[in-house]
Amino acid sequence: MSRENREHYQVVIQAKDMGGQMGGLSGTTTVNITLTDVNDNPPRFPQSIYQFVTSESASIGTEIARIKALDADVGKNAEIKYTITDGDAKDLFEIITDQNTQDGIIMVKKPLDFESQRLHTFQVEATNTYEDPQFTHLISFKDTAIVKVLLKDIDEAPIFSKPFYVFEVNEDTKEGSIIGHVTAQDPDSAKNSVKYSIDRNTDVERTFNIFSGNGSLILAKTLDREMTIWQNISIVATETKNPKLNRNVQVYIKILDINDHAPEFSERYETFVCENAKPGQLVQTISAVDKDEPPRGHSFFFEIVPEFSINPNFTVVDNKDNTASILTKRSRYNRYKISAYTLPIIIFDNDYPVQSSTETLTIQVCACDNKGHVQTCSAEAFLLPAGLSTGALVAILLCIIILLALVVLFAALKRHRKKEPLIISKDDVRDNVVTYNDEGGGEEDTQAFDIGALRNPEAREENKPRRDIIPDTIFHIRKTVPLWENVDIQDFIQRRINENDADTTAPPYDSLATYAYEGNDSIAESLSSLESLEIDENHDYQYLNDWGPRFKKLAAMYGGDESD
C-alpha cells in the first residue's frame, strides 16, 4: 500500500450466526484504517538548474534566493537538509533550512565583487535528516541541483590598499617633509581617478597636509613627543567624477623620541648639614629625571662643575645607579659665618646627542642635637635666651595670647553684670523708669473696657465719660419678625433675648437691651369705652373673650390684676 496514493480506508464487516444458514441473524460494523507514513520517498528538486541575480553590494548575511526540494512524505520523514557541495562559490555563499517551510535559503557569506567575478555557479544537495533503514538500500535519499548567481555591477566608493596605515616619524622632522603615502583606487571597471583629503575634525591643529593627487602625507608643523606620542588622523578618498562616493581610512602616526631634553633633579631638595658634622658624613642623596625615553633606558652621571671641583666643604660621589651622594669633607661648620652653601652639579645622560644640565644644590647649616636632629637653621635664633628652643618660645607666646584673651573676656563680663540701682538713697526721689519687654495689644487694648465698674460703687467717679467702642461695621436695624395673634408676649421676649445673646456684633461690655412689643391691629379697632356711648347689639364681642386670658397673664407678670 502507498500512503501517498491513499491514506484512509473504510471496511464494513458482517457477522452471521447459524453458520450463515438461512434463518440466522447478522450484524455489521465499520472499520476505519489510516496508513502511517514511512520514509520511502526521497527529496526531489522540481528543476535541475536555478538562476538568480543579486547586487555585488549585498552585505554579509543577506538572503539572495530560496530553493525547495519536494518530499511526498510528511512529518519528520519530510525534513530536509541543504548543503553546498561543489562549485567556485562555496566560500562566498551558504544555505540554511527554513524549519517552517523546508525551503533552502541562500545567503551571502563573504563580500561579493563584480569586477573579480560576475557569475558564480555551485551545486546544492538536499537530503532527508531522517532515513528509514529498511529503504536505504532501495532508495537514494538525496538530490542535487545547480545554482547560478549573477552579480550586478554598482558604482562603488574607492577602496584603500590597506584597512589602516601606521607611520613613524622623528620628533625633529622638519616641516614640509613627507612622512608616508596612502593609496586608494576605484574598484569599478571604469577605474575613475581618486583624490585625497584629510578629515580636519581629526586634525584640528592642521599638523599634517596631504597631496590630493597621490596621497602623500606631509608634515605641516613641528612635533613634540613629550606632548603627545601618537597622532591619529582620518584620510578621505573621493572619486573625482562622483564626489558622493568616498571612503575613509585611519592613519596612526607614531612620534619617535630624540634626545632633545637635558636631565634635571627629580625633586626640589631641602638639604642641611649639622654644625657638628664629621668628615665623610652623608648629607643628601640626589637623583635625576629626563623627559626623553631612550630605547636603552636612562643612565645619568653626576659631577661637580669643574670651576668648583676643588671644594673644601663637600664632594659629589656618583653611585652608578642614576643617583649621587653629597658628602662632607670637613667638620665644624659655623652658621654664624656661613649660613648656607651652594653646590653646582652637572648631570649628563647617555643618549645621542649627549644632553647635560647644571643644577644648584643649596645646603643650609643647622644646629643639631647629639643624634643629628635639626633644632634650628637660622643664625638669629641664637640671640634668644640660652636654653629656650623655638618650640618653647612658641608655647610661651600662645600662653600670653590666651591670658590676654581671658582678661578681656573677664572685663567684658564684669561690665555687663554691673547695674545701676533703682534708688541710690532714700533722699533720691527721682522718677525711675521700669521697662518691660511685653508688647501690648495697641490702643484698643487700653480703651476696650471700663474697669471702673469693677471698683467700689461708692468710689466711682460720677462724671467719668463712658469709653465705648464704636463697631467697625454699621449695624442695620433688624426688622422685627411679625407675630401672629396666638404668640404670647413671653415667647416674644424670650426670642429677642436669644437673638441678642447669639449676636456676634454686640459690644463687649454689659449693656441694656430694651424690647418694645406692639401687637397687630385689633379687629375691634378700639377697646376704649370713650368711643362707645351705646352698645351695639349687633356687634360681636367675642374678641373680649379671646383677650381676657391674655390680660390675666399680663397682669400676673407685672404684679397687677385684670383691672390694671
Side-chain angles (χ1 to χ4, degrees):
M1 292 183 293
S2 176
R3 186 204 62 82
E4 289 73 26
N5 295 330
R6 185 174 181 179
E7 184 176 1
H8 301 285
Y9 293 88
Q10 191 176 73
V11 179
V12 179
I13 299 175
Q14 185 182 53
K16 293 183 179 181
D17 58 9
M18 293 181 63
Q21 298 180 6
M22 294 292 294
L25 300 177
S26 65
T28 61
T29 184
T30 301
V31 179
N32 293 317
I33 301 173
T34 301
L35 296 181
T36 58
D37 185 53
V38 295
N39 192 10
D40 58 348
N41 293 282
R44 291 288 182 264
F45 284 107
Q47 59 191 71
S48 59
I49 299 177
Y50 294 86
Q51 293 184 355
F52 304 102
V53 178
T54 187
S55 173
E56 65 172 332
S57 63
S59 59
I60 297 176
T62 303
E63 176 185 335
I64 63 174
R66 283 179 178 244
I67 60 176
K68 184 175 183 179
L70 303 179
D71 193 334
D73 298 321
V74 294
K76 67 178 183 178
N77 296 325
E79 294 179 356
I80 302 175
K81 178 182 178 182
Y82 300 92
T83 55
I84 298 177
T85 59
D86 190 15
D88 57 354
K90 188 175 181 179
D91 296 333
L92 296 177
F93 302 96
E94 64 178 346
I95 186 169
I96 61 174
T97 302
D98 187 338
Q99 298 299 329
N100 296 324
T101 63
Q102 296 301 312
D103 291 342
I105 305 175
I106 301 175
M107 305 174 65
V108 178
K109 188 177 180 180
K110 290 184 177 180
L112 306 176
D113 186 13
F114 172 85
E115 286 71 28
S116 61
Q117 188 173 351
R118 303 182 182 184
L119 178 63
H120 296 279
T121 303
F122 52 91
Q123 181 177 280
V124 176
E125 181 181 81
T127 59
N128 282 134
T129 57
Y130 170 77
E131 296 181 0
D132 194 337
Q134 61 180 331
F135 298 105
T136 55
H137 64 286
L138 300 175
I139 305 173
S140 176
F141 291 93
K142 63 179 62 177
D143 193 17
T144 60
I146 302 299
V147 177
K148 296 182 178 181
V149 178
L150 181 63
L151 300 182
K152 293 190 303 182
D153 186 25
I154 62 170
D155 196 1
E156 298 178 273
I159 297 178
F160 284 94
S161 59
K162 296 181 180 180
F164 60 89
Y165 293 85
V166 178
F167 300 134
E168 293 182 350
V169 57
N170 291 326
E171 63 176 325
D172 62 344
T173 301
K174 297 181 180 180
E175 298 178 8
S177 301
I178 298 176
I179 62 175
H181 300 271
V182 296
T183 304
Q185 62 180 359
D186 183 10
D188 301 319
S189 57
K191 300 299 180 182
N192 294 321
S193 59
V194 178
K195 63 179 181 179
Y196 303 90
S197 61
I198 297 177
D199 184 357
R200 291 304 177 183
N201 292 326
T202 61
D203 185 25
V204 179
E205 297 181 357
R206 297 182 176 271
T207 307
F208 306 95
N209 289 326
I210 192 169
F211 184 66
S212 62
N214 59 10
S216 298
L217 192 61
I218 303 170
L219 182 64
K221 291 184 178 180
T222 56
L223 302 175
D224 186 1
R225 191 206 63 86
E226 285 68 38
M227 294 295 295
T228 177
I229 300 177
W230 287 90
Q231 291 276 3
N232 304 328
I233 63 175
S234 178
I235 296 179
V236 184
T238 308
E239 280 192 17
T240 55
K241 292 185 178 180
N242 188 359
K244 294 182 179 180
L245 295 177
N246 57 73
R247 197 183 302 271
N248 291 31
V249 69
Q250 292 296 320
V251 177
Y252 305 98
I253 303 167
K254 183 178 181 180
I255 303 173
L256 302 179
D257 184 37
I258 62 170
N259 193 25
D260 58 346
H261 290 84
E264 57 187 12
F265 279 158
S266 59
E267 60 181 284
R268 181 180 179 183
Y269 294 102
E270 296 181 359
T271 308
F272 67 92
V273 61
C274 294
E275 289 183 311
N276 55 0
K278 297 179 181 181
Q281 185 173 338
L282 178 64
V283 175
Q284 181 72 57
T285 300
I286 59 175
S287 61
V289 293
D290 193 340
K291 294 180 180 180
D292 298 319
E293 291 185 2
R296 296 184 300 273
H298 291 295
S299 181
F300 302 118
F301 305 95
F302 304 87
E303 64 179 35
I304 298 179
V305 175
E307 291 80 1
F308 295 87
S309 59
I310 304 176
N311 191 317
N313 300 306
F314 304 97
T315 184
V316 177
V317 178
D318 195 334
N319 298 325
K320 307 301 181 180
D321 60 353
N322 293 337
T323 64
S325 299
I326 310 300
L327 304 178
T328 59
K329 294 183 67 175
R330 64 181 181 86
S331 60
R332 297 298 176 183
Y333 295 87
N334 192 336
R335 56 182 169 153
Y336 288 112
K337 295 180 179 179
I338 300 176
S339 61
Y341 293 91
T342 57
L343 185 63
I345 301 174
I346 300 178
I347 309 175
F348 299 92
D349 60 16
N350 66 333
D351 203 1
Y352 180 82
V354 176
Q355 298 287 344
S356 64
S357 66
T358 301
E359 297 284 345
T360 301
L361 185 67
T362 301
I363 305 173
Q364 287 187 326
V365 181
C366 301
C368 305
D369 55 16
N370 295 331
K371 296 182 179 180
H373 298 154
V374 177
Q375 292 182 338
T376 181
C377 292
S378 59
E380 290 77 5
F382 284 85
L383 299 177
L384 299 173
L388 290 180
S389 62
T390 305
L393 294 176
V394 172
I396 293 174
L397 182 61
L398 289 176
C399 291
I400 294 174
I401 293 174
I402 294 173
L403 288 176
L404 290 176
L406 291 176
V407 171
V408 173
L409 181 62
F410 179 76
L413 291 175
K414 186 175 181 181
R415 187 182 302 107
H416 179 70
R417 291 180 179 178
K418 186 176 181 180
K419 297 181 179 179
E420 295 292 336
L422 296 178
I423 300 178
I424 299 176
S425 64
K426 294 182 180 180
D427 298 334
D428 192 352
V429 293
R430 291 175 297 178
D431 293 338
N432 294 284
V433 179
V434 181
T435 61
Y436 301 92
N437 292 329
D438 293 333
E439 184 177 355
E443 184 177 350
E444 293 183 0
D445 191 21
T446 58
Q447 301 294 332
F449 300 94
D450 183 6
I451 63 175
L454 301 178
R455 300 176 180 172
N456 190 345
E458 296 179 358
R460 182 181 301 177
E461 298 178 4
E462 297 297 337
N463 297 327
K464 186 176 180 180
R466 183 181 178 92
R467 295 179 294 181
D468 294 340
I469 295 177
I470 301 176
D472 294 335
T473 58
I474 301 176
F475 304 117
H476 298 283
I477 300 176
R478 294 186 297 272
K479 186 176 180 180
T480 304
V481 180
L483 302 175
W484 302 96
E485 294 181 357
N486 57 355
V487 178
D488 55 20
I489 298 175
Q490 185 176 1
D491 295 339
F492 165 76
I493 295 175
Q494 188 63 37
R495 181 189 296 181
R496 295 301 300 274
I497 292 174
N498 294 337
E499 290 178 358
N500 280 274
D501 290 341
D503 190 0
T504 58
T505 61
Y509 49 81
D510 294 339
S511 60
L512 177 63
T514 60
Y515 309 110
Y517 175 78
E518 179 179 358
N520 297 333
D521 53 343
S522 175
I523 58 176
E525 296 181 354
S526 177
L527 300 180
S528 176
S529 59
L530 297 178
E531 297 180 2
S532 301
L533 299 179
E534 57 181 359
I535 298 175
D536 186 0
E537 295 179 354
N538 297 325
H539 188 73
D540 185 4
Y541 292 96
Q542 180 61 34
Y543 61 86
L544 294 178
N545 296 331
D546 295 338
W547 282 95
R550 300 188 181 185
F551 289 157
K552 292 181 181 180
K553 194 169 184 178
L554 284 173
M557 290 176 60
Y558 292 99
D561 53 16
E562 296 181 19
S563 60
D564 297 330

